[in-house]
């Protein structure tokens, strides 16, 4: 898949995708010098977008990706590694709670918008606006 296809699918600017590749977030194959995005690249892009939505900075996302690779390694953890993992675990937990709070606020917004929509539908059906006087 070419970069313009990925731009259309994800809504991510081409320059942004190139930057993600430059900083190591994406490993994109090239065919005859042209970037060729895989389905795995698309999954990575969507994951990056979700992490950004959860409030992670790009440098934190790069670190998470690096850390994920290290966790898969069969090596034993040093005390320094344990501290890093603890710090990252705490960061992820904080972002998780912030995301949960954001979901609650969005659910409240949905409820308000549904009530507004219902009132507008009723007003259009009846030809009257409740509480409105000329």
């Amino acid at each position: 898949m070419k970069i313009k296809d990925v731009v259309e699918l994800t809504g991510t600017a081409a320059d942004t995708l190139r930057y993600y590749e430059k900083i190591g977030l994406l490993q994109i194959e090239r065919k005859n010098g042209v970037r060729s995005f895989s389905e795995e690249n698309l999954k990575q892009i969507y994951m990056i977008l979700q992490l950004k939505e959860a409030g992670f900075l790009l440098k934190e996302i790069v670190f998470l990706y690096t850390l994920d690779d290290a966790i898969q390694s069969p090596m034993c953890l040093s005390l320094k590694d344990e501290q890093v993992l603890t710090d990252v675990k705490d960061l992820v937990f904080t972002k998780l709670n912030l995301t949960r709070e954001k979901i609650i606020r969005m659910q409240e917004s949905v409820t308000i918008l549904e009530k507004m929509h219902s009132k507008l539908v009723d007003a259009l059906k009846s030809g009257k606006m409740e509480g409105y006087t000329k």
Side-chain angles (χ1 to χ4, degrees):
M1 182 174 344
K2 292 185 180 179
I3 198 165
K4 68 178 179 95
D5 301 321
V6 176
V7 167
E8 288 178 22
L9 282 172
T10 65
T12 304
D15 286 342
T16 301
L17 295 171
R18 289 184 200 100
Y19 182 69
Y20 289 170
E21 180 184 24
K22 180 180 176 181
I23 64 173
L25 278 177
L26 295 174
Q27 289 73 44
I28 303 164
E29 285 188 39
R30 292 179 187 263
K31 296 180 182 173
N32 299 322
V34 177
R35 287 176 180 85
S36 179
F37 290 79
S38 66
E39 289 297 319
E40 185 61 31
N41 291 139
L42 278 180
K43 289 178 188 176
Q44 291 171 318
I45 293 164
Y46 287 124
M47 176 62 79
I48 293 165
L49 295 173
Q50 290 170 333
L51 289 170
K52 284 176 64 177
E53 179 69 27
F56 284 89
L57 303 173
L58 271 182
K59 66 181 181 179
E60 293 170 334
I61 296 170
V62 170
F63 184 73
L64 287 173
Y65 271 63
T66 306
L67 189 63
D68 193 45
D69 291 341
I71 290 171
Q72 304 301 325
S73 163
M75 296 171 40
C76 293
L77 296 175
S78 69
L79 288 175
K80 182 180 175 188
D81 293 335
E82 286 185 31
Q83 184 58 52
V84 169
L85 287 178
T86 300
D87 292 346
V88 172
K89 174 190 67 76
D90 293 345
L91 173 65
V92 169
F93 186 73
T94 298
K95 301 292 185 181
L96 176 64
N97 284 331
L98 289 172
T99 301
R100 285 182 174 139
E101 290 171 11
K102 189 186 291 186
I103 289 169
I104 290 169
R105 288 192 307 274
M106 293 302 292
Q107 287 172 331
E108 291 168 352
S109 295
V110 166
T111 300
I112 290 168
L113 290 170
E114 286 174 340
K115 287 178 183 176
M116 286 177 151
H117 181 262
S118 179
K119 284 182 179 181
L120 291 166
V121 167
D122 291 346
L124 285 168
K125 283 181 182 175
S126 69
K128 298 179 184 174
M129 290 178 50
E130 186 178 315
Y132 177 77
T133 56
K134 289 187 179 180

